[in-house]
Structures are given as structure tokens and as C-alpha cells.
Amino acid sequence: MATVEQTLLRAIARRPSRWRRLWEGVSIILRSRTALVGLAIVGFWFLVAIFAPFLTPYGPFDQDYKWQNAPPSAAHPLGTDHLGRDIWTRLIYGARLVLIMLPINESLWLPGGIALWGVFLALVAGSVLGLLGGYLGGWIDEVVMRLLDAMMAFPVILLYMIIIAAIGPSALNIVLAIAIVGTPGIARLVRSLTLDIRTRDYIRAAEIRGESVWYIMFHEILPNARGPLIVDAMLRVGYAIFAMGTLGFLGLGLPPPSPDWGSMVAKGRQYIMAGSPWAALWPSVAIASLVVGLNLFADGLREELARYR
Amino acid sequence: MQTRFHPLPPILKVENLSISYATRHGEVEAVRQVSFEVNRGMTLGLVGESGCGKTTVAFGILDFLGPNGRIVEGSIKFQGRELIGRSEKELRLLRGDQITMVYQDPMQALNPSLTIGEQLAEVLVVHRGLSHAEAWRRSTEMLERVYMPDAPNVMKRYPHQLSGGQQQRVVIAMALLNNPALLIMDEPTTALDVTVEAAVLDLIEDLKRDFDTGIIYITHNLGVVARVCDQVAVMYAGELVERAPVKALFAHPLHPYTQGLMRCVPKLGITKEASRLYPIRGRVPAPQDRPRGACIFAPRCDYATERCRNERPMLQEITPGHSARCFYAGQIDPSAWQPSEEIEVPAPGQRVAPEHEVVLHIENLKTYYEQPSRSVLSLFGLGKKQYVKAVDGVDLRVPRGITVGVVGESGCGKSTLAKTIIGLESPTAGVLQFLGFDISMPVTRRDVQLIQELQMVFQNPDSTMNPAYTVGQQIARPLQRFKTVPPQQVYDEVIRLLHAVRLDASYYDRFPSQLSGGEKQRVGIARAFASRPELVLCDEPVSALDVSVQAAVLNLLLDIQRQYGTTMLFIAHDLSVVRFFSDLVAVMYLGHIVEFGPAEAIYAPPYHPYTEALLSAVPIPDPCATQKRIRLEGNVPSALNPPSGCVFHTRCPRRSMLPDQGKVCAVQAPPQQWNTEQHYILCHIPLEALRKMEPVITSC
Amino acid sequence: MFVGDYMTRHPLTVTPDTSIVEVQGMMAENNIRHVPVVEKGKRLVGLVTRQNLRLSPIELSSLNVWEITRLLSGLKVKDVMVRGKDVITARPDTPIEEAARILVTHRIGCLPVLEEGILVGIITESDLLTQLTNLLGLQVPGWRATIRVPDRAGEFAKITAAVASKGWGIDAAGSLPTPRKPGYWDVVIKISAATRDELVAVLQQIEGQELIDIRATGP
């Protein structure tokens, strides 16, 4: 009997606090106008990416030779490119690559876009390295940090180009490049957070319990670095999208005919002087709006978190 | 003392001041209708627990409320002129010129990149338009005035080159340079060691007399109040509940809250067995939950009636100069007070009979830290290695079921001793045995069975719990790790532990951010006792808590200790708390135990000269008790190069009792002189001479 | 016995731009008659007294109530104060009798006390009179004896010797030439350790001196 009662009690006791925490998180976002605007922009791109096939009658590779470099019209709301492909269609299928699907090969794809996967892998690698360096200190810290410093000494674009040039352009390789380039920054952030958190008494308590290094790093320290990490990761998704655009523009992005925003800008650029700026303009706007949206969201979130710290 | 036939106008007159802050939960009233006066050469103590609004009042006077704070109503008259509604420019002229403030952390007021002299002189150059040379000369004089040794040299140093006590002296000198009419001090000695604190308090007394400055002294420590204040205003939950001359307040506290506070404070001279601390039940209401049309203290008051819950009492004068905000002030007899049933107070005199089995055995324990040398050679491993001798030859035997208190100033090695025992530091040499097993290795290499028998309670309630997990998860972790109970019983065991620390089951799913400091500390205690350890180290477990909460946590620790028969090592700097809590006391100085014995023996002659000095520095919450005035000179020497012979000889005030001004002290290590079977003193002065000394504290 | 010891530190001050109405309020509320005027850095620039604030009867008679109010509300301290160099001041190391002389000769009520141009205090008639009472021991309870002594060396020593021989202390003492009786001085001493009869007995013993009054004084 007692156990039934206690189970009930547990359920009752647990519920309000869970919901309250969730609600608190949501209400923080709702309170910041900056975050709300950012969320709206990012949300828009996610929605169009998910529902892309229902938002356009065309496919991303459908060519219409009658409509080359056409301005916006009823049939093609954003116009067409030099091969007569609908730009709106290519944009929203491009958003899928960035945000919701990662093509491995012709038939297989993983949920989560290239930018998201890249940042996620950077987050994993950076967190491990940062935790190791920050918590263990000593020579491990020295080695890890000097290596990452060396990587950070390269200009980001150069680093991307070296990596892609070395392993060749493909969706998976771009993910890898984003992860490699993002790791040092995240590692530094995690390390500095760790240096702070590891002085807390609850870490002492865990050490006194004789907990393993891994338990302390991932169960005691990492959850407390969550807030700043989420904000940082969001900013990094923005950078990653930018990097994808840059790589595409330089011809190191996804191989054509993929609806890669960067390569769309690169191709479209040739026709700007010819009187049809649409093919270059819309993908640029797409990149810019998504990056700005993510930045606004992250900034708003950071401000609100700091205000009530 | 000058007598006058007509009273001078008060320097500061605060009337009906209310201050509120805009927060997430809307506008919150932090201070409500507070009135008081400050006169020349008078210290007004603003006392209360954290969150009672005392600092807010100070910031209100200075107009430092920040963008979300505002003064709702009331008047602040400084030197006859209203401050509220004045322009920012006029207020800026007053601040620093006629009103100055000294904060708890001296580094907040000092610029780390300028020398002391530059900072002091700048005050006079900017505010008074003096020439640089003249300003420099006056600044040096002022440093001498605050008893800074070697003032001309200190002028050339940077803040970080001074100790905390010296920094606070510089800040006080800086505050007085302009000869301000009003000086606001916000806990100026809270961060200092007790011996340094005593010297700074002496200084404040002197300065008040010489400069005729009005002082508002904000503190939570009733002992400090009794020492420096003339008038006291007691604040509770944003309201001023009692205002009185200091002697009247301590002799006849009128408000039930003040009476409750007095019952919470451990007093020196009271033994563990004969005393009880009575915490005030309940907790301070959050600003948004405070009752409005009722007495603010009614929910926690033992005398509350229907009237208190429906009507708000006004501050009324009961005897001349003594006012209280209570309907029944003057009618309540505090001596007839009985604890209500809600608060549990461990019964005195139930001390576990000391079994002679020794749980912890320490012999000649040394813990040295290697000091990185700054020379180039050290880069190649060739430099001479230097060691900080944090613990240097400690002997200690802790019998089962006993509490051993360890006291000493910061830097005396008491925390290192604890870390070495718990396994966070490795001893350099010596014997360290626990339950007969050698534990001179780091905790990671110890056996799980041993780890579980050795736990710790921490000082800082804000960092003792991991903010990412619920209370239940954190208490459950040691149970799971050490398999104290079968997995399916973990939940029940956690609830049982929560009950043991007087928290109900609803705390299981709360996060640390939803708890108060005292509650966090209780959970920390539950976590430490979860694995049913044999020995628990308590590192200043109550020093960061408010007095009323402190009493409750101390009672709880005592109670749990009796229930489980746990042995405890209690590290603290507060000698009255140690006295209340411990059976045996060890006094540490620079890595050595200089005196060890039963608590009663430590607090009565014969004393080690260092113990004597410590006792004479403790602020006692009783304005009519007399205390010997012994002040140690200088700072604790560096543990890198401890003094030869007796480590205390450089500061010892009793050295002159020995022939040749105590030459032997500088040369020879002092012998352990056994006063009784359990009590020894590490000193060259013969026991007979030490026995003849007067007790430090005589109460009236 | 210097001004620095007996002055009031941290006096109430105003700035040149303070309105007259506010100063009047301050004076009435705190029952004071003089307010030094300072500018940045507590440098003295003037002094306002109740006299300064009073309008002359001629001026008053030519105005109606509304005009007086308007005149007053527009006036600033700088319009009525005694200015900079005209303010007579003292230094903390001025002897108090010198301060009294200055007050009397200039027929004024207070002296702002300056240290290198910075206002550190104020000393008023009341402060000096208070010290006169202290000088004659009004602040301690005891016996106040007036003794008339001939104007020659060694007479005061006789009194102190007689008192000291009994082991009493003199709490306060002062002497002035006897008015309208040249060749004599009146000495006032204050003694609290003795009873009246003991004191009378001792003082009457002194040769060539006359005890002319003894009474109890005190706060």
C-alpha cells in the first residue's frame, strides 16, 4: 500500500516542477522580442524545408527552357535561373539540405541538415576536448589547447578550403569540415566553463564519493555548461550556413545540380549584369535571413538568460 | 565628551522610506516605511538577516538603486536638505564628498592598476582641488591615522600587495580623506579574520570619536553590533521592527523577532551540554509573499494573535528612545518563553559516552604544496623547489562519536588538513589512519568501503548542490553508488533522509534554485549522511548562513550525529560556534596544532597565547561583557618560510613573559606541555605562568 | 583650548544656487541661525544668516503679499549672502578666547572654520558660552566655591595646596579681577569629592583669603 501511495505522491510531486521548468524556458523566449523575431525567421525556414514538396508544383531539378532567367511571375514567384529552374523550389529544397536532411548517397539520407550535423559533431568533439583540458588540467590541457590554438591560427575560410580540397566536396565531407573548424571554439568555451564549474563544492562532493573522471565530466560538469553552450551552438549553426554558402560560391560545395544556396549565388552572379539579378539575389537573401534569424534568436536568449541569472 | 545644551541637527534623517524593485514578478517592495536618524559621532547599526533590505536602504540613501529600483515614498534628509528628487549632478557632488561608503570587499573600491598613493591623493585633488604634493602628504597622514604600519611605503604599493585587513584600512582611509559627514559601512569586516576584524572594529571606534562622523554600520553579526554601535535598528523582511540604544536592545529586546535572534546566537562561555540554540521557526517570506495588512513577523511569531494577522502594527515608542513595531511590545516577557512544538531542539546532556576506540589517527602529518618558482631555471627543472608547508607536523586522535573542532585564522592549514584526510590532497609525510586502515592516498585509489565511511559537508550553500539535478537525484546518487540500500528502496531512503533533515517529501523533485540557503545546506547534510559514514568532515558548514538558519542547521547536525553516532571533524573560524558544537578543540596556527583539549579547557586559562588572542578578538553579542584587549600585530607569516622555533613567536604578545624577551622562542621548537591528561599547550611559557592569567571574557 | 576642539564639525551647508525659501526652511527646522555657503570641494564662498534673509521694512511696505512671495521664491542664496572675503573666519588652531574676541569686536554670531580654504567646521557664540560653563564646571555636580584673594603671587597655590592636602581634586577653576574692588581677584573652584562642611572648613583656614560664596551646581 505504502509504495502505491508513494508512487502517486512522486508523480504528483514531479509533474508541476517539470512543467514549470519547460514553461519557464518557453516564457524566456516569449519575453524577448529579439528572440521572438529570430525564432519566427528560423521557424519559417524549418517549415518550408519540411513541407517543401507541398509548397511548389516543381521539382528542384525541373528545367523549363521557355523561362530562362525570368523575373518573378505568377508561375514562378521568385523567377527562374539560367536553366529555367524555379528559384523558389530550389531555395526551399536547399533549405532542406541545410536544416533537415543530410544525404549520404543517392538513396540514403539522415535527418538533420548539413549545418546541424556539422555543429553537432563539433559540439561533441569540442565538449570532450574542453572537458578533458579543463577538468584534468596539467599536460593534457597543454597539449589539447596548443593543438587547438594552432588550428585557430588559420583563417577560417582557408581552413575550410584546405579540408575540402583534401577530402573532396560532398555533403558528408562538408559536415566534417564544419565539425573540424567549429571544434576549437567550442572546446575553448567548454574549457573556460569547466574551469569555473570545477571549483564548485558539488564537484568536490563527487570526487569525495570517488566518482570516475568521466562521470564527473559528463554528469556533474556538462549539464551546468548547457545554457551558454546552446547559445553558442546556435550562433555556430549560423556560421556553418554561412560557410556552406561560401564553399558553394567557391565551387567547393555540394556538386551540381544540388540546390546548394552558395552555388546558386555563384551561377546567378554571371547574369546580374545581363539584367536578371534574381538568381543571385534570392539565395543571398535566404542565407542572410537564416543567419540573422539564428543570431537574433541566440542573442535574445543570451540576454534573457543573463538578466535573470 | 562634549555636552551641549541644545541638540545638533541630525546628519541624516530618514522618514517613512519605501523602496521597490521591478522584477519578473512585477513590482516588489524591498523596504517599507523605514525611519531612523543618524547623529554626529554616532554609529547606527542596521542589523538583519540577508534579504531584509538593509543594503537596499544604504543604496537608497546613495541613490544607487539601479535602473529597476525606485523610491516609492518617504524622505531622506541629509544635513537638513532633502535628497529625494535632487538632480543626478547634485547627488554626485554629495557622494564621495560628504557621504562615503565602505563595502565588504575592499577590492571593489580599489583600482588594481594604480598605487595606493595615487588613488588616495586623487580623491583630494579631485574633490578638494589640492596640489598633488599636499594631497600626497595628507594621504600619508591619513594612512598613519588608520594605524597602517610603514605608511610612506604603503603609498607606493599596489592593492594586491596588501593583505585583506590592510586593504580595508586603505579603503577606510580613503573614505575619511574628505572628512565626510556620513559614512556607510556595509559589512566591512565580514570577509576578514577574527583577529583582523577586531583591529578594524577598534579603528572604527577611534575614528568615530575623532572625526565626529555619523556612521551607518550594516551587519548581520550581533557581536559586532554590540562592539561598535550606539544605536541599533533591527530590520526584518524590509521593515524596521525595533530601534533602540545598544545596551537597551541587548538587555531588554522588545520585539519577538529580536528576542528570537538573541536565542539563536551561540554565546561564548556556554558549553555544549548546558546550552540550546532555538531557531526561529519558518523562513523569511519572499518579498512578493509578504503580508501587507498584517504584522510582517506574525507567521513566525509565538505570540501572534488574530489582531497581528489582520492589522499592521506601527513603530511605537515603549521606553524613551526604544521603539518596536509590535502590538504587544513591553508586555512580552522573553524569560517566560517556551519553544513551540514545531521546532525541535536536541536535548542537552546526551553526549555519547566517549568510547576509547580511535577512529582517526594522525601522527606527524605533513602536507606541503610545491610552489612554482619564477626563475628561468625552473623551466628546465633546475630551479630550487620551494614548498608551502600548509600542514606541518599535526598529531590528532579522534575517538568515536566525538566532535573535534578545528579553529584558526585563514591560512592556518585547517582546510588543507581536511582535504588531506578526505583524500583530495596527498600527505607529504606522516601517518594517516582511518579505522585502522592507511588512507594516505588520494581518494581515487581508496577502497569504496572506505570512501563511503568518510564524507564531507561544505561551506557554501550555493555551490554545494549541482544546479542541474533535483534534490532527490542528488541524495540518491551516493545511495546508488555505495549500494547502501537495494535499488528499489532508494526512493524511500531518500525520503527518510529528507525527513531526517526536516524537509518534507515535496522537496524530492525541487531544483536547488528553488531552495533557500539553509535548505540547500540541509540537503548537503542529507547527502553526506546518506552513505551512513563513520566520520563526517564539516568545513564551515554554517558560516555562510544567517543566524536563525545557522541555529537550525547546528541543531540538526547535533541531532543527526547523536542518531547515527557519527564522529565529526568540525572546521570553523567562529569560536563561539565551535565552543557550542565541539567536545574537543584543536587550535591551529601555521600548520601546527598549538593547543588541543576539551572545549571547556580551551576557553579557560591556561591559554596558549594565540588562543588567548583569538578569544579576545571574538565579537561578543553582549555590550556589557568585558573582554581583554589583546591585538596581534602584523599578518600571518607566509607558510613558504615559516618562522623558526615557535611559529607564533613573531606575533606572540606573551613572549615578554619569558626571560631575555623570549629568545628561546625564536630558536627552539616549543614543547608539548600537558595541562591535564587530555589538554596540551605548545608553548615555552611554563604552565604555572599560563594558569595565572585572567580569563579573557568576564560577563556581567 | 583651540577652536578645532570645540567647533561643530560637518555643519549644515548650502550652495550659492539654493533658493532662499529652502534655506529659511532649513534654519527653522533645525533651529540654527547661520549657514555657510560652499561650492565644489567644500570651499567657502559666503555665509547666510537670519539677518540676510530679512527684508527691510521699507521694501516690505512697498510690496503686497503676492509680490513678496514672488520676490522670495526667485531669490537665491548668492543674491543675499555675505560674500567671500567679507566673511570673517577662524582656523582650527585659533585659541578660543581669540575667537570670542573676534565675535565680539565684529558683533557677529559665528565664525566658519577653514583649513586652507576648505570648510571644516563652524564655531558660534553658543559654542563658546557652552565652553564657559564647562570652564566653571557646570557639567559636573559638586560644590562651587568663590574665594576672594589678594592680587599677589602664591595665593592660588595656597588654595590648591589646601585642597590637595585633603586628597581632593579640583574639577574646574577660573579667576577674574574682583569688580569694583581693585587689588583683589575672585577665584571660582569646583570640587565634587568633599562635603560642604569639609570644604568650608578647609577653605576658611586659608590665611588672607575670604570664602564669599559656596553653592551646589551641576547639570
Side-chain angles (χ1 to χ4, degrees), chain B residues 104-107 110 116 147-149 154 157-171 188 191-193 195-197 199-200 409-410 633-637 651:
Chain B
Q104 180 176 345
D105 176 13
M107 283 312 282
L110 296 174
I116 301 294
Y147 310 120
M148 178 73 84
V154 170
R157 280 190 223 152
Y158 288 91
H160 67 89
Q161 293 169 305
L162 305 179
S163 69
Q166 286 175 328
Q167 285 172 355
Q168 200 59 289
R169 271 165 209 267
V170 170
V171 173
L192 303 177
D193 265 321
T195 54
V196 184
E197 173 181 57
V200 172
E409 290 171 279
S410 53
E633 299 197 353
N635 305 314
V636 181
R651 299 170 81 200

Side-chain angles (χ1 to χ4, degrees), chain B residues 2 4 40 127-128 211, chain C residues 9-10 41 43 127 131:
Chain B
Q2 292 289 303
R4 291 182 186 271
R40 275 143 234 277
H127 281 283
R128 290 288 176 266
F211 289 83
Chain C
R9 289 167 201 265
H10 315 298
R43 302 223 159 239
D127 294 328
Q131 294 320 317

Side-chain angles (χ1 to χ4, degrees), chain B residues 369-374 384-388 640-641:
Chain B
Y369 297 106
E370 196 177 313
Q371 172 85 355
S373 158
R374 292 216 191 98
K384 201 179 150 203
K385 279 182 182 160
Q386 284 187 303
Y387 293 96
V388 177
L640 210 56
N641 291 307

Side-chain angles (χ1 to χ4, degrees), chain A residues 20 209-211 219 224, chain B residues 463 466 469 477 481 492 514:
Chain A
R20 192 151 85 206
R209 282 201 304 270
E211 302 281 9
H219 285 87
N224 291 301
Chain B
S463 81
N466 192 331
Y469 296 104
R477 178 65 198 172
R481 177 162 164 73
D492 299 335
Q514 297 163 308

